[in-house]
PDB file of all heavy atoms in Angstrom:
ATOM      1  N   GLN D 622      -7.125   2.845  13.450  1.00  0.00           N
ATOM      2  CA  GLN D 622      -5.775   3.004  13.988  1.00  0.00           C
ATOM      3  C   GLN D 622      -5.124   1.641  14.076  1.00  0.00           C
ATOM      4  O   GLN D 622      -5.757   0.648  14.442  1.00  0.00           O
ATOM      5  CB  GLN D 622      -5.821   3.640  15.384  1.00  0.00           C
ATOM      6  CG  GLN D 622      -4.460   4.033  15.959  1.00  0.00           C
ATOM      7  CD  GLN D 622      -3.681   2.889  16.600  1.00  0.00           C
ATOM      8  OE1 GLN D 622      -4.246   1.983  17.181  1.00  0.00           O
ATOM      9  NE2 GLN D 622      -2.362   2.939  16.483  1.00  0.00           N
ATOM     10  N   SER D 623      -3.840   1.597  13.732  1.00  0.00           N
ATOM     11  CA  SER D 623      -3.061   0.378  13.908  1.00  0.00           C
ATOM     12  C   SER D 623      -1.607   0.736  14.148  1.00  0.00           C
ATOM     13  O   SER D 623      -1.097   1.718  13.601  1.00  0.00           O
ATOM     14  CB  SER D 623      -3.172  -0.531  12.680  1.00  0.00           C
ATOM     15  OG  SER D 623      -2.398  -1.703  12.883  1.00  0.00           O
ATOM     16  N   ASN D 624      -0.973  -0.093  14.946  1.00  0.00           N
ATOM     17  CA  ASN D 624       0.468   0.024  15.159  1.00  0.00           C
ATOM     18  C   ASN D 624       1.238  -0.839  14.168  1.00  0.00           C
ATOM     19  O   ASN D 624       2.464  -0.849  14.184  1.00  0.00           O
ATOM     20  CB  ASN D 624       0.820  -0.402  16.588  1.00  0.00           C
ATOM     21  CG  ASN D 624       0.226   0.530  17.620  1.00  0.00           C
ATOM     22  OD1 ASN D 624       0.263   1.744  17.457  1.00  0.00           O
ATOM     23  ND2 ASN D 624      -0.338  -0.028  18.665  1.00  0.00           N
ATOM     24  N   VAL D 625       0.515  -1.537  13.302  1.00  0.00           N
ATOM     25  CA  VAL D 625       1.108  -2.516  12.395  1.00  0.00           C
ATOM     26  C   VAL D 625       1.099  -1.979  10.963  1.00  0.00           C
ATOM     27  O   VAL D 625       0.037  -1.678  10.403  1.00  0.00           O
ATOM     28  CB  VAL D 625       0.330  -3.851  12.465  1.00  0.00           C
ATOM     29  CG1 VAL D 625       0.931  -4.883  11.528  1.00  0.00           C
ATOM     30  CG2 VAL D 625       0.293  -4.375  13.901  1.00  0.00           C
ATOM     31  N   GLU D 626       2.262  -1.870  10.381  1.00  0.00           N
ATOM     32  CA  GLU D 626       2.418  -1.310   9.046  1.00  0.00           C
ATOM     33  C   GLU D 626       1.539  -2.005   8.007  1.00  0.00           C
ATOM     34  O   GLU D 626       0.853  -1.359   7.216  1.00  0.00           O
ATOM     35  CB  GLU D 626       3.893  -1.402   8.649  1.00  0.00           C
ATOM     36  CG  GLU D 626       4.236  -0.831   7.311  1.00  0.00           C
ATOM     37  CD  GLU D 626       5.721  -0.970   7.015  1.00  0.00           C
ATOM     38  OE1 GLU D 626       6.369  -1.925   7.507  1.00  0.00           O
ATOM     39  OE2 GLU D 626       6.232  -0.120   6.270  1.00  0.00           O
ATOM     40  N   GLY D 627       1.542  -3.316   8.000  1.00  0.00           N
ATOM     41  CA  GLY D 627       0.759  -4.064   7.011  1.00  0.00           C
ATOM     42  C   GLY D 627      -0.730  -3.829   7.145  1.00  0.00           C
ATOM     43  O   GLY D 627      -1.452  -3.798   6.140  1.00  0.00           O
ATOM     44  N   GLU D 628      -1.222  -3.651   8.360  1.00  0.00           N
ATOM     45  CA  GLU D 628      -2.645  -3.366   8.565  1.00  0.00           C
ATOM     46  C   GLU D 628      -3.006  -1.997   7.997  1.00  0.00           C
ATOM     47  O   GLU D 628      -4.091  -1.820   7.441  1.00  0.00           O
ATOM     48  CB  GLU D 628      -3.013  -3.457  10.040  1.00  0.00           C
ATOM     49  CG  GLU D 628      -2.972  -4.874  10.579  1.00  0.00           C
ATOM     50  CD  GLU D 628      -3.268  -4.972  12.065  1.00  0.00           C
ATOM     51  OE1 GLU D 628      -3.568  -3.931  12.706  1.00  0.00           O
ATOM     52  OE2 GLU D 628      -3.204  -6.099  12.589  1.00  0.00           O
ATOM     53  N   LEU D 629      -2.108  -1.035   8.130  1.00  0.00           N
ATOM     54  CA  LEU D 629      -2.344   0.297   7.554  1.00  0.00           C
ATOM     55  C   LEU D 629      -2.391   0.214   6.034  1.00  0.00           C
ATOM     56  O   LEU D 629      -3.255   0.830   5.393  1.00  0.00           O
ATOM     57  CB  LEU D 629      -1.260   1.278   8.012  1.00  0.00           C
ATOM     58  CG  LEU D 629      -1.216   1.559   9.504  1.00  0.00           C
ATOM     59  CD1 LEU D 629       0.053   2.313   9.871  1.00  0.00           C
ATOM     60  CD2 LEU D 629      -2.449   2.317   9.958  1.00  0.00           C
ATOM     61  N   ILE D 630      -1.479  -0.550   5.461  1.00  0.00           N
ATOM     62  CA  ILE D 630      -1.454  -0.729   4.004  1.00  0.00           C
ATOM     63  C   ILE D 630      -2.732  -1.421   3.535  1.00  0.00           C
ATOM     64  O   ILE D 630      -3.364  -0.986   2.564  1.00  0.00           O
ATOM     65  CB  ILE D 630      -0.198  -1.513   3.577  1.00  0.00           C
ATOM     66  CG1 ILE D 630       1.056  -0.656   3.833  1.00  0.00           C
ATOM     67  CG2 ILE D 630      -0.280  -1.952   2.108  1.00  0.00           C
ATOM     68  CD1 ILE D 630       2.356  -1.422   3.760  1.00  0.00           C
ATOM     69  N   ASN D 631      -3.139  -2.467   4.233  1.00  0.00           N
ATOM     70  CA  ASN D 631      -4.376  -3.167   3.866  1.00  0.00           C
ATOM     71  C   ASN D 631      -5.583  -2.237   3.936  1.00  0.00           C
ATOM     72  O   ASN D 631      -6.455  -2.279   3.058  1.00  0.00           O
ATOM     73  CB  ASN D 631      -4.603  -4.384   4.768  1.00  0.00           C
ATOM     74  CG  ASN D 631      -3.659  -5.516   4.456  1.00  0.00           C
ATOM     75  OD1 ASN D 631      -3.053  -5.574   3.389  1.00  0.00           O
ATOM     76  ND2 ASN D 631      -3.516  -6.432   5.398  1.00  0.00           N
ATOM     77  N   LYS D 632      -5.643  -1.381   4.952  1.00  0.00           N
ATOM     78  CA  LYS D 632      -6.772  -0.452   5.080  1.00  0.00           C
ATOM     79  C   LYS D 632      -6.763   0.557   3.940  1.00  0.00           C
ATOM     80  O   LYS D 632      -7.809   0.866   3.372  1.00  0.00           O
ATOM     81  CB  LYS D 632      -6.734   0.254   6.439  1.00  0.00           C
ATOM     82  CG  LYS D 632      -7.884   1.197   6.688  1.00  0.00           C
ATOM     83  CD  LYS D 632      -9.246   0.541   6.550  1.00  0.00           C
ATOM     84  CE  LYS D 632      -9.686  -0.172   7.786  1.00  0.00           C
ATOM     85  NZ  LYS D 632     -11.114  -0.631   7.690  1.00  0.00           N
ATOM     86  N   LEU D 633      -5.596   1.073   3.571  1.00  0.00           N
ATOM     87  CA  LEU D 633      -5.507   1.994   2.437  1.00  0.00           C
ATOM     88  C   LEU D 633      -5.993   1.326   1.156  1.00  0.00           C
ATOM     89  O   LEU D 633      -6.741   1.927   0.387  1.00  0.00           O
ATOM     90  CB  LEU D 633      -4.078   2.510   2.258  1.00  0.00           C
ATOM     91  CG  LEU D 633      -3.626   3.556   3.268  1.00  0.00           C
ATOM     92  CD1 LEU D 633      -2.108   3.722   3.243  1.00  0.00           C
ATOM     93  CD2 LEU D 633      -4.326   4.886   3.028  1.00  0.00           C
ATOM     94  N   HIS D 634      -5.602   0.086   0.939  1.00  0.00           N
ATOM     95  CA  HIS D 634      -6.069  -0.642  -0.245  1.00  0.00           C
ATOM     96  C   HIS D 634      -7.583  -0.825  -0.197  1.00  0.00           C
ATOM     97  O   HIS D 634      -8.264  -0.650  -1.214  1.00  0.00           O
ATOM     98  CB  HIS D 634      -5.404  -2.011  -0.338  1.00  0.00           C
ATOM     99  CG  HIS D 634      -3.954  -1.960  -0.669  1.00  0.00           C
ATOM    100  ND1 HIS D 634      -3.178  -3.089  -0.699  1.00  0.00           N
ATOM    101  CD2 HIS D 634      -3.125  -0.937  -0.975  1.00  0.00           C
ATOM    102  CE1 HIS D 634      -1.933  -2.761  -1.014  1.00  0.00           C
ATOM    103  NE2 HIS D 634      -1.880  -1.456  -1.179  1.00  0.00           N
ATOM    104  N   GLU D 635      -8.101  -1.174   0.964  1.00  0.00           N
ATOM    105  CA  GLU D 635      -9.538  -1.420   1.131  1.00  0.00           C
ATOM    106  C   GLU D 635     -10.364  -0.178   0.827  1.00  0.00           C
ATOM    107  O   GLU D 635     -11.382  -0.250   0.148  1.00  0.00           O
ATOM    108  CB  GLU D 635      -9.810  -1.884   2.558  1.00  0.00           C
ATOM    109  CG  GLU D 635     -11.266  -2.066   2.903  1.00  0.00           C
ATOM    110  CD  GLU D 635     -11.484  -2.302   4.384  1.00  0.00           C
ATOM    111  OE1 GLU D 635     -10.598  -2.882   5.045  1.00  0.00           O
ATOM    112  OE2 GLU D 635     -12.537  -1.872   4.888  1.00  0.00           O
ATOM    113  N   VAL D 636      -9.946   0.964   1.345  1.00  0.00           N
ATOM    114  CA  VAL D 636     -10.770   2.182   1.214  1.00  0.00           C
ATOM    115  C   VAL D 636     -10.396   3.031   0.008  1.00  0.00           C
ATOM    116  O   VAL D 636     -11.149   3.916  -0.370  1.00  0.00           O
ATOM    117  CB  VAL D 636     -10.729   3.048   2.500  1.00  0.00           C
ATOM    118  CG1 VAL D 636     -11.174   2.245   3.696  1.00  0.00           C
ATOM    119  CG2 VAL D 636      -9.360   3.658   2.736  1.00  0.00           C
ATOM    120  N   GLY D 637      -9.261   2.746  -0.614  1.00  0.00           N
ATOM    121  CA  GLY D 637      -8.772   3.589  -1.690  1.00  0.00           C
ATOM    122  C   GLY D 637      -9.236   3.229  -3.081  1.00  0.00           C
ATOM    123  O   GLY D 637      -8.924   3.929  -4.037  1.00  0.00           O
ATOM    124  N   PHE D 638      -9.981   2.128  -3.185  1.00  0.00           N
ATOM    125  CA  PHE D 638     -10.502   1.712  -4.475  1.00  0.00           C
ATOM    126  C   PHE D 638     -11.998   1.501  -4.374  1.00  0.00           C
ATOM    127  O   PHE D 638     -12.522   1.138  -3.328  1.00  0.00           O
ATOM    128  CB  PHE D 638      -9.860   0.400  -4.948  1.00  0.00           C
ATOM    129  CG  PHE D 638      -8.432   0.538  -5.368  1.00  0.00           C
ATOM    130  CD1 PHE D 638      -7.427   0.022  -4.576  1.00  0.00           C
ATOM    131  CD2 PHE D 638      -8.091   1.163  -6.554  1.00  0.00           C
ATOM    132  CE1 PHE D 638      -6.098   0.130  -4.957  1.00  0.00           C
ATOM    133  CE2 PHE D 638      -6.772   1.272  -6.950  1.00  0.00           C
ATOM    134  CZ  PHE D 638      -5.769   0.763  -6.147  1.00  0.00           C
ATOM    135  N   SER D 639     -12.693   1.657  -5.473  1.00  0.00           N
ATOM    136  CA  SER D 639     -14.115   1.358  -5.546  1.00  0.00           C
ATOM    137  C   SER D 639     -14.316  -0.139  -5.315  1.00  0.00           C
ATOM    138  O   SER D 639     -13.522  -0.946  -5.798  1.00  0.00           O
ATOM    139  CB  SER D 639     -14.653   1.748  -6.921  1.00  0.00           C
ATOM    140  OG  SER D 639     -15.921   1.214  -7.109  1.00  0.00           O
ATOM    141  N   PRO D 640     -15.358  -0.532  -4.604  1.00  0.00           N
ATOM    142  CA  PRO D 640     -15.576  -1.963  -4.392  1.00  0.00           C
ATOM    143  C   PRO D 640     -15.857  -2.723  -5.688  1.00  0.00           C
ATOM    144  O   PRO D 640     -15.629  -3.913  -5.756  1.00  0.00           O
ATOM    145  CB  PRO D 640     -16.788  -2.018  -3.457  1.00  0.00           C
ATOM    146  CG  PRO D 640     -17.409  -0.683  -3.512  1.00  0.00           C
ATOM    147  CD  PRO D 640     -16.358   0.288  -3.961  1.00  0.00           C
ATOM    148  N   ALA D 641     -16.311  -2.027  -6.705  1.00  0.00           N
ATOM    149  CA  ALA D 641     -16.642  -2.688  -7.972  1.00  0.00           C
ATOM    150  C   ALA D 641     -15.391  -3.096  -8.742  1.00  0.00           C
ATOM    151  O   ALA D 641     -15.372  -4.120  -9.401  1.00  0.00           O
ATOM    152  CB  ALA D 641     -17.512  -1.777  -8.831  1.00  0.00           C
ATOM    153  N   SER D 642     -14.345  -2.271  -8.655  1.00  0.00           N
ATOM    154  CA  SER D 642     -13.178  -2.553  -9.481  1.00  0.00           C
ATOM    155  C   SER D 642     -11.980  -1.756  -8.997  1.00  0.00           C
ATOM    156  O   SER D 642     -12.089  -0.584  -8.681  1.00  0.00           O
ATOM    157  CB  SER D 642     -13.477  -2.174 -10.927  1.00  0.00           C
ATOM    158  OG  SER D 642     -12.290  -2.105 -11.664  1.00  0.00           O
ATOM    159  N   ALA D 643     -10.841  -2.401  -9.005  1.00  0.00           N
ATOM    160  CA  ALA D 643      -9.595  -1.707  -8.669  1.00  0.00           C
ATOM    161  C   ALA D 643      -9.224  -0.706  -9.757  1.00  0.00           C
ATOM    162  O   ALA D 643      -8.370   0.137  -9.559  1.00  0.00           O
ATOM    163  CB  ALA D 643      -8.465  -2.712  -8.474  1.00  0.00           C
ATOM    164  N   GLU D 644      -9.865  -0.798 -10.897  1.00  0.00           N
ATOM    165  CA  GLU D 644      -9.587   0.109 -12.004  1.00  0.00           C
ATOM    166  C   GLU D 644     -10.469   1.361 -11.970  1.00  0.00           C
ATOM    167  O   GLU D 644     -10.314   2.248 -12.789  1.00  0.00           O
ATOM    168  CB  GLU D 644      -9.789  -0.607 -13.336  1.00  0.00           C
ATOM    169  CG  GLU D 644      -8.879  -1.813 -13.512  1.00  0.00           C
ATOM    170  CD  GLU D 644      -7.411  -1.455 -13.426  1.00  0.00           C
ATOM    171  OE1 GLU D 644      -7.008  -0.435 -14.005  1.00  0.00           O
ATOM    172  OE2 GLU D 644      -6.669  -2.200 -12.768  1.00  0.00           O
ATOM    173  N   ALA D 645     -11.405   1.405 -11.046  1.00  0.00           N
ATOM    174  CA  ALA D 645     -12.326   2.544 -10.978  1.00  0.00           C
ATOM    175  C   ALA D 645     -11.553   3.838 -10.743  1.00  0.00           C
ATOM    176  O   ALA D 645     -10.481   3.836 -10.153  1.00  0.00           O
ATOM    177  CB  ALA D 645     -13.350   2.325  -9.876  1.00  0.00           C
ATOM    178  N   SER D 646     -12.131   4.927 -11.179  1.00  0.00           N
ATOM    179  CA  SER D 646     -11.431   6.207 -11.081  1.00  0.00           C
ATOM    180  C   SER D 646     -11.502   6.814  -9.685  1.00  0.00           C
ATOM    181  O   SER D 646     -10.767   7.725  -9.373  1.00  0.00           O
ATOM    182  CB  SER D 646     -12.007   7.191 -12.093  1.00  0.00           C
ATOM    183  OG  SER D 646     -13.373   7.430 -11.806  1.00  0.00           O
ATOM    184  N   ALA D 647     -12.388   6.317  -8.847  1.00  0.00           N
ATOM    185  CA  ALA D 647     -12.503   6.851  -7.490  1.00  0.00           C
ATOM    186  C   ALA D 647     -12.631   5.712  -6.497  1.00  0.00           C
ATOM    187  O   ALA D 647     -12.995   4.597  -6.851  1.00  0.00           O
ATOM    188  CB  ALA D 647     -13.720   7.771  -7.391  1.00  0.00           C
ATOM    189  N   GLY D 648     -12.337   6.017  -5.243  1.00  0.00           N
ATOM    190  CA  GLY D 648     -12.391   5.000  -4.205  1.00  0.00           C
ATOM    191  C   GLY D 648     -13.726   4.943  -3.501  1.00  0.00           C
ATOM    192  O   GLY D 648     -14.674   5.637  -3.860  1.00  0.00           O
ATOM    193  N   ARG D 649     -13.791   4.103  -2.501  1.00  0.00           N
ATOM    194  CA  ARG D 649     -14.993   3.936  -1.691  1.00  0.00           C
ATOM    195  C   ARG D 649     -15.243   5.156  -0.818  1.00  0.00           C
ATOM    196  O   ARG D 649     -16.331   5.341  -0.320  1.00  0.00           O
ATOM    197  CB  ARG D 649     -14.837   2.726  -0.779  1.00  0.00           C
ATOM    198  CG  ARG D 649     -14.807   1.413  -1.493  1.00  0.00           C
ATOM    199  CD  ARG D 649     -14.633   0.267  -0.536  1.00  0.00           C
ATOM    200  NE  ARG D 649     -15.589   0.339   0.545  1.00  0.00           N
ATOM    201  CZ  ARG D 649     -15.468  -0.282   1.701  1.00  0.00           C
ATOM    202  NH1 ARG D 649     -14.413  -1.019   1.951  1.00  0.00           N
ATOM    203  NH2 ARG D 649     -16.381  -0.171   2.641  1.00  0.00           N
ATOM    204  N   TYR D 650     -14.221   5.953  -0.620  1.00  0.00           N
ATOM    205  CA  TYR D 650     -14.299   7.133   0.239  1.00  0.00           C
ATOM    206  C   TYR D 650     -13.979   8.366  -0.594  1.00  0.00           C
ATOM    207  O   TYR D 650     -13.252   8.287  -1.580  1.00  0.00           O
ATOM    208  CB  TYR D 650     -13.303   7.011   1.405  1.00  0.00           C
ATOM    209  CG  TYR D 650     -13.723   5.964   2.419  1.00  0.00           C
ATOM    210  CD1 TYR D 650     -13.663   4.617   2.122  1.00  0.00           C
ATOM    211  CD2 TYR D 650     -14.206   6.347   3.664  1.00  0.00           C
ATOM    212  CE1 TYR D 650     -14.065   3.656   3.036  1.00  0.00           C
ATOM    213  CE2 TYR D 650     -14.601   5.389   4.586  1.00  0.00           C
ATOM    214  CZ  TYR D 650     -14.528   4.052   4.267  1.00  0.00           C
ATOM    215  OH  TYR D 650     -14.932   3.117   5.172  1.00  0.00           O
ATOM    216  N   ASP D 651     -14.489   9.492  -0.133  1.00  0.00           N
ATOM    217  CA  ASP D 651     -14.192  10.751  -0.829  1.00  0.00           C
ATOM    218  C   ASP D 651     -12.853  11.326  -0.396  1.00  0.00           C
ATOM    219  O   ASP D 651     -12.292  12.169  -1.089  1.00  0.00           O
ATOM    220  CB  ASP D 651     -15.308  11.763  -0.549  1.00  0.00           C
ATOM    221  CG  ASP D 651     -16.642  11.258  -1.062  1.00  0.00           C
ATOM    222  OD1 ASP D 651     -16.774  11.120  -2.291  1.00  0.00           O
ATOM    223  OD2 ASP D 651     -17.536  10.986  -0.243  1.00  0.00           O
ATOM    224  N   GLY D 652     -12.371  10.893   0.742  1.00  0.00           N
ATOM    225  CA  GLY D 652     -11.095  11.386   1.225  1.00  0.00           C
ATOM    226  C   GLY D 652     -10.530  10.519   2.321  1.00  0.00           C
ATOM    227  O   GLY D 652     -11.264   9.864   3.066  1.00  0.00           O
ATOM    228  N   ILE D 653      -9.208  10.526   2.396  1.00  0.00           N
ATOM    229  CA  ILE D 653      -8.484   9.823   3.449  1.00  0.00           C
ATOM    230  C   ILE D 653      -7.578  10.833   4.122  1.00  0.00           C
ATOM    231  O   ILE D 653      -6.848  11.575   3.458  1.00  0.00           O
ATOM    232  CB  ILE D 653      -7.630   8.672   2.875  1.00  0.00           C
ATOM    233  CG1 ILE D 653      -8.519   7.630   2.192  1.00  0.00           C
ATOM    234  CG2 ILE D 653      -6.771   8.035   3.975  1.00  0.00           C
ATOM    235  CD1 ILE D 653      -7.745   6.587   1.389  1.00  0.00           C
TER     236      ILE D 653
END
């Protein structure tokens, strides 16, 4: 949880991509 827009965006970027590559077809999580 964050009240800060940029922190929410950073978290989406962090969890929305595979740690190996931003080009990966799936993220680190199965769902958000």
Side-chain angles (χ1 to χ4, degrees):
Q622 188 278 327
S623 180
N624 295 317
V625 180
E626 182 180 29
E628 290 177 3
L629 296 169
I630 292 166
N631 287 342
K632 182 56 84 171
L633 285 165
H634 290 175
E635 175 189 329
V636 303
F638 289 108
S639 167
S642 165
E644 300 301 317
S646 62
R649 292 179 51 199
Y650 289 71
D651 299 295
I653 298 170

